[in-house]
Amino acid sequence: METSLAHLSITEAAKKLKVKEITALDLARACLVEIEKRNKSLNAYLEVYTDVEAQAKVADAKRAQNEKEGKASHPLLGIPLALKDNILVEGRVASAASKMLEHYTATYDATVIKKLKDAGAVFLGRTNMDEFALGSTTENSAFGVTRNPHDETRTAGGTSGGSAVAVASGMALGALGTDTGGSVRAPSSFCGVVGLKPTYGAVSRFGLIAAVSSFDQAGPLARTVEDAELLFTTIRGEDALDSTSISETEYPARTAPKKIGVPVSLIAQGLDADVRVRFDAALVQLTKAGIPWEPIELPTLSVALATYYITNFAEVSSNLARFDGIRYGLSQKGETLFDDYATSRAAGFGAETRRRIILGTYVLSAGYYDAFYGKATAAREQLRREFVEIFKKVDIIATPTMPCPATTIGEKSDPLSMYLMDIFTVTANLTGNPALTVPMGTVTRDGKNLPVGMQFTAAHGDESGLFAIGKLLVL
Amino acid sequence: MISREDIEGLAALSRLKLTDAEIANLQKDISDIVGYVEAVSQVEIPSAVGADGPAHAAASIAPQHRNIMREDVLRTGESAARLAGKEEQVRAAFPTRQGDFNVVRKIIQKDE
């Protein structure tokens, strides 16, 4: 049993702070001790901020001030959090784990950061990720792989691997990640924590380094569903600086979930047998808790992964065109202007990023555009409609989050085999639905117990349905 | 398999300098990946979806497919305040700075 304050849930820590059993400084120091012990081998943080204790002292002073004035303190006041390296914090480096932005200092706060600062959260540092959020295991970072705390020969999952490891190993009480095709949920599943991909537009994207703008959402990683809910309700909301953000009343409210749908043909293949056993056991538990399941079919799911990757390549190639070595970021000079661009981009981008830019250029080329991007956009809309229809019959779609436990480092060196692991997570990004991963027990590999996650997907805007069912799954 | 010339053409369009070894690897990787995602071109999409082109598909419901316009006026209020006064930080990020200017290569040249 872990006794350090660094292993408390946010909710527990907030209670202790409220009754003055502990201070924000105690919490921050407890996390720094764990970071000192474990970050060197796990490589979760790319940078630990030097002013963590100072931030904690400010939080303690704010709490004292609030008490004096009879004002309630936000539950996140003084809570130490980790931030993925693609979220801008004014005056601090945000590199997206890329050589391209290695020395880039953010000029303003992301909206999610502004909201957390207003709440009084303490930022411990920035966490490792796949470069520009392109990958599934955090092996594509320009600054080394992040290791899984349950077995250091294994990956943390990705792309928010550093954030998941920080939460799983006591190096932060909670964290922010971003999810483009499973980037919050996959590492949460591999590391045994809770992770939420909110409804598209629920959380402002202003100040996130863009990967795939029509998929990206910032989301929390936490130890409990309650903590994820608290972080989500703090960062959500419409934002004048993100035109795709939506109000909390954009979608009609729903009642608590009563029925689960399981896409049986999707999970019939490619799933590790013991992950399936854990999944079936979790369904039994939820049935006992009063939420039975039924098989569902979503015909367009069969091409979801292809649809996802075409759209990903296309948007990545256009989003990353902004990195030209002219205005900011890595800049190298060649013989001509063309060489300036081409050498800066070759030196700044890693192999997977270059591969996706080339693929995006290919699928958007004249002659291929209709067959790839055009078809993918239509398939995406068809899938979204199927989801809207199915949520008239069921309240939650359940699948395993990942088809397997954490991969070993180097196991998925072939890019296509890496992409195939995202089979269950990409659909929520295609359709804009919210999805939550919750630990559903462990499976054994090489004598080590490795966590696996259960993924719940809900109707647009129904995060509360996800939190309700997630709280029922206590293993 | 996709040809070496095709990869070189895509690299030029993408403004990326690639090594010979990387081109050879990409020929294989891109052929495999395109072979997989090609499945989507076989999908029969009901005429109600995307018949008028993807941009028109369900414009009324899916926020990510909606064109969102705003008035071409100066921002005011909180969102303006959040962006105000950052000019110096932006200039500080210039790769080559001279005073308040970002030094770039001369691109207009005399005909020879």
Side-chain angles (χ1 to χ4, degrees):
Chain A
M1 190 65 199
E2 300 282 1
T3 51
S4 162
L5 294 179
H7 293 274
L8 291 174
S9 72
I10 294 173
T11 319
E12 290 163 337
K15 275 186 205 148
K16 289 179 188 288
L17 284 167
K18 197 175 175 185
V19 299
K20 289 190 217 158
E21 194 182 322
I22 58 170
T23 65
L25 189 59
D26 296 335
L27 277 176
R29 283 181 175 157
C31 290
L32 291 172
V33 165
E34 295 302 312
I35 291 170
E36 184 64 33
K37 269 195 276 189
R38 303 204 68 183
N39 194 53
K40 205 170 172 196
S41 59
L42 296 176
N43 196 28
Y45 285 93
L46 294 177
E47 178 188 358
V48 180
Y49 299 142
T50 52
D51 64 342
V52 172
E53 294 195 357
Q55 292 179 58
K57 286 175 187 168
V58 169
D60 283 329
K62 190 171 171 186
R63 181 176 301 276
Q65 182 71 18
N66 286 347
E67 277 181 19
K68 218 162 101 184
E69 295 170 10
K71 281 196 288 196
S73 289
H74 193 285
L76 290 179
L77 178 62
I79 300 293
L81 302 175
L83 303 171
K84 190 177 181 179
D85 190 29
N86 60 351
I87 303 173
L88 304 195
V89 184
E90 186 172 354
R92 299 194 194 268
V93 170
S95 83
S98 178
K99 293 276 180 204
M100 182 62 85
L101 293 174
E102 187 174 3
H103 305 293
Y104 173 72
T105 301
T107 52
Y108 55 85
D109 282 333
T111 296
V112 291
I113 294 301
K114 183 184 183 300
K115 286 171 181 280
L116 289 176
K117 279 185 175 177
D118 289 348
V122 170
F123 302 138
L124 291 159
R126 56 189 174 92
T127 55
N128 203 9
M129 56 185 282
D130 287 292
E131 180 182 29
F132 287 106
L134 309 177
S136 309
T137 57
T138 312
E139 290 171 284
N140 294 333
S141 167
F143 307 110
V145 65
T146 294
R147 293 174 184 274
N148 194 304
H150 301 278
D151 176 353
E152 294 190 13
T153 67
R154 292 181 182 270
T155 70
T159 64
S160 313
S163 286
V165 170
V167 175
S169 62
M171 293 195 280
L173 267 62
L176 285 192
T178 59
D179 192 311
T180 303
S183 287
V184 163
R185 291 161 286 155
S188 295
S189 177
F190 280 9
C191 294
V193 301
V194 174
L196 172 74
K197 197 288 284 186
T199 304
Y200 185 80
V203 177
S204 170
R205 291 181 298 110
F206 181 74
L208 309 187
I209 297 175
V212 181
S213 300
S214 74
F215 294 151
D216 296 343
Q217 271 290 284
L221 297 95
R223 300 206 178 105
T224 68
V225 175
E226 287 81 359
D227 287 0
E229 185 172 14
L230 171 61
L231 287 166
F232 170 68
T233 52
T234 307
I235 62 173
R236 75 179 304 182
E238 197 169 6
D239 180 11
L241 296 171
D242 173 5
S243 61
T244 60
S245 65
I246 56 172
S247 81
E248 291 176 26
T249 53
E250 174 87 16
Y251 297 104
R254 292 172 67 104
T255 52
K258 288 177 205 70
K259 203 184 285 173
I260 297 169
V262 176
V264 284
S265 355
L266 182 70
I267 63 166
Q269 316 151 15
L271 181 60
D272 286 4
D274 47 3
V275 175
R276 180 62 194 256
V277 169
R278 295 265 72 81
F279 177 71
D280 289 341
L283 286 178
V284 168
Q285 190 190 335
L286 290 167
T287 302
K288 283 182 188 157
I291 310 184
W293 68 276
E294 62 181 61
I296 55 169
E297 291 299 336
L298 295 152
T300 309
L301 269 186
S302 61
V303 292
L305 200 62
T307 300
Y308 171 82
Y309 271 101
I310 289 168
T311 314
N312 179 298
F313 302 149
E315 292 197 39
V316 164
S317 75
S318 38
N319 260 333
L320 298 190
R322 77 190 67 193
F323 298 105
D324 55 7
I326 304 287
R327 292 157 301 155
Y328 59 96
L330 187 76
S331 179
Q332 293 198 347
K333 297 290 176 215
E335 291 289 305
T336 62
L337 180 65
F338 182 92
D339 287 344
D340 292 353
Y341 293 142
T343 53
S344 296
R345 290 164 61 79
F349 293 138
E352 176 64 15
T353 304
R354 294 199 296 270
R355 189 183 292 124
R356 292 204 197 186
I357 290 171
I358 298 274
L359 280 159
T361 306
Y362 179 87
V363 299
L364 292 173
S365 302
Y368 296 108
Y369 181 95
D370 290 338
F372 287 102
Y373 188 72
K375 277 278 191 178
T377 307
R380 177 179 182 180
E381 174 54 20
Q382 173 62 17
L383 187 65
R384 197 190 62 79
R385 290 182 183 199
E386 288 172 13
F387 268 56
V388 168
E389 283 306 307
I390 208 75
F391 281 117
K392 292 175 182 167
K393 301 188 184 91
V394 300
D395 303 300
I396 296 286
I397 298 173
T399 64
T401 306
M402 299 298 284
C404 54
T407 52
T408 54
I409 292 164
E411 179 183 339
K412 303 281 179 185
S413 54
D414 162 51
L416 186 56
S417 69
M418 179 83 86
Y419 299 167
L420 296 176
M421 283 203 301
D422 301 341
I423 182 83
F424 302 130
T425 52
V426 296
T427 42
N429 302 81
L430 283 166
T431 60
N433 289 79
L436 179 78
T437 180
V438 179
M440 62 172 184
T442 59
V443 297
T444 307
R445 295 284 181 284
D446 305 325
K448 299 254 171 63
N449 290 330
L450 303 174
V452 285
M454 177 140 183
Q455 175 177 253
F456 300 114
T457 306
H460 293 99
D462 191 25
E463 278 84 358
S464 49
L466 294 178
F467 298 135
I469 198 163
K471 287 170 192 170
L472 293 175
L473 195 68
V474 181
L475 293 161
Chain B
M1 192 143 83
I2 189 164
S3 71
R4 183 183 173 85
E5 291 69 34
D6 282 342
I7 297 286
E8 285 171 341
L10 291 167
L13 288 170
S14 309
R15 302 290 185 270
L16 279 174
K17 188 167 268 181
L18 302 177
T19 62
D20 284 347
E22 196 172 8
I23 291 172
N25 286 338
L26 281 169
Q27 280 182 266
K28 181 189 178 299
D29 288 346
I30 291 188
S31 300
D32 289 352
I33 294 164
V34 168
Y36 178 79
V37 299
E38 235 166 17
V40 85
S41 63
Q42 310 305 321
V43 174
E44 288 297 324
I45 302 296
S47 59
V49 179
D52 314 325
H56 300 284
S60 60
I61 330 176
Q64 59 267 56
H65 292 162
R66 203 191 294 155
N67 282 326
I68 298 163
M69 314 299 274
R70 65 171 174 82
E71 292 302 312
D72 186 19
V73 292
L74 279 177
R75 288 184 187 278
T76 53
E78 195 219 306
S79 60
R82 286 183 51 202
L83 296 174
K86 314 288 188 199
E87 296 81 357
E88 180 50 33
Q89 289 103 301
V90 171
R91 286 190 290 260
F94 293 160
T96 316
R97 181 175 175 179
Q98 222 170 70
D100 283 349
F101 294 95
N102 182 18
V103 180
V104 297
R105 185 187 286 277
K106 189 166 93 179
I107 54 165
I108 300 170
Q109 285 165 342
K110 211 159 77 177
D111 281 340
E112 310 245 2

